[in-house]
Amino acid sequence: MNHETLPLWGLDVFAKQPLTGRQAIIVGTGASLTASQRDRVLGALPDLPVGILHEAGDPVELATDTASDAGSGHLGLAAISTLDHPPPAIVSGGRQYQVTTVVGAPAIELEPPAASVDPIDDVFDEALAGASRGTLAVGDDALPPAVVTLGQRWIVVPLAYFSDVSSVSSDLSHDLCRRYDAVGLCAMTFDTVTPGATVHLRTVTTAESAAPTLAAGSVGAYLRQYGAIDGSEVAIAAGLETPPRRIDVGLGPTLAVGGPTTTYLTGDLVVPDDEPDDTDIIEL
């Protein structure tokens, strides 16, 4: 009976330490698998997003459960880290991403479509539910909260202090997201003690499809719109955990998102042929 043996990586995207980022499983060089075998591999680990690399080409292709990576590029970033050299482009979740470099590491471009940034004026008091807050300013102008559309709709709320970010009300954030048909709220501040980071970001999400790449990209679009960052890149510390995730955003004409990726597991995946009997299972 024929079996395919493929390399496998367990990866943490946006993390410098294992199991502190966004987990993904990448299976290597699966071009010889049949459609049935690919489906079995993608369904073998239902609690984690899984991608199967095809043989290197231009662009590199990654077979995924489309819902796991639609529009976010998370699995694409994971797959790039397993390759000897970053490809010019990668197809993941049914979408092609151009590959570039941000803060010296591979990143994926998120546009087109171009991001839109629409200011709103009724967020601060409701989202913070009476907690003390300060506003961010560029020069003499306070930065407004805004709805940013970049594949998904996110509410971006700029705050002066980390304590304000940690005080944002989850319940009222959910109410605001329903009002503005957003998948989540991004509370951000320049008040961060994380080494190497310029912005600290906390997200409150209302949908399973909410993607950290698109949240960070939305914050990047917001900062670019208001000229709030000197330079073409920004390093974001994401989350209230210790350590936070690290997401790097390129603020050029085309937004790009990347960050460190850590390997926490390597192994081989043994995939049975298309006519499995009761004893034929996928083995790690």
Side-chain angles (χ1 to χ4, degrees):
M1 186 167 292
N2 296 323
H3 294 77
E4 293 284 349
T5 301
L6 305 174
L8 175 146
W9 296 268
L11 300 157
D12 248 341
V13 185
F14 311 129
K16 294 183 177 181
Q17 297 180 22
L19 304 179
T20 61
R22 183 81 182 269
Q23 280 80 51
I25 297 292
I26 298 297
V27 179
T29 319
S32 60
L33 296 180
T34 66
S36 175
Q37 287 174 313
R38 286 197 300 270
D39 289 344
R40 292 186 67 193
V41 171
L42 292 174
L45 298 166
D47 294 331
L48 289 173
V50 180
I52 306 172
L53 273 169
H54 288 229
E55 291 180 350
D58 185 10
V60 169
E61 293 188 19
L62 188 66
T64 67
D65 170 5
T66 302
S68 296
D69 206 43
S72 72
H74 162 232
L75 280 171
L77 282 170
I80 291 168
S81 73
T82 69
L83 302 173
D84 291 335
H85 304 286
I90 190 165
V91 175
S92 179
R95 177 177 170 183
Q96 179 168 314
Y97 299 91
Q98 298 303 308
V99 178
T100 185
T101 299
V102 176
V103 193
I108 55 169
E109 295 184 349
L110 295 179
E111 296 174 309
S116 65
V117 181
D118 302 304
I120 52 180
D121 58 10
D122 61 348
V123 168
F124 280 125
D125 293 335
E126 294 188 60
L128 293 171
S132 113
R133 70 161 173 86
T135 58
L136 284 180
V138 176
D140 295 328
D141 298 322
L143 296 178
V147 173
V148 179
T149 304
L150 180 66
Q152 297 177 337
R153 287 169 61 86
W154 288 85
I155 299 172
V156 177
V157 181
L159 300 168
Y161 304 110
F162 180 82
S163 58
D164 298 325
V165 167
S166 61
S167 298
V168 168
S169 164
S170 295
D171 290 341
L172 291 177
S173 296
H174 279 71
D175 291 341
L176 284 165
C177 289
R178 284 190 289 269
R179 181 185 308 171
Y180 288 100
D181 192 26
V183 298
L185 182 142
C186 298
M188 55 151 286
T189 181
F190 293 138
D191 181 32
T192 179
V193 297
T194 301
T198 303
V199 170
H200 210 109
L201 169 66
R202 176 193 173 195
T203 59
V204 180
T205 61
T206 63
E208 290 186 3
S209 61
T213 47
L214 298 181
S218 296
V219 170
Y222 178 93
L223 296 171
R224 183 181 65 181
Q225 174 77 14
Y226 290 105
I229 291 289
D230 293 329
S232 60
E233 301 172 331
V234 60
I236 297 175
L240 301 181
E241 302 85 1
T242 302
R245 297 183 302 279
R246 166 68 180 261
I247 307 178
D248 299 319
V249 182
L251 306 178
T254 300
L255 290 166
V257 172
T261 297
T262 299
T263 302
Y264 66 85
L265 172 70
T266 58
D268 292 316
L269 198 69
V270 180
V271 184
D273 64 15
D274 273 337
E275 297 181 356
D277 58 31
D278 291 341
T279 61
D280 261 353
I281 61 173
I282 293 177
E283 297 177 357
L284 176 61

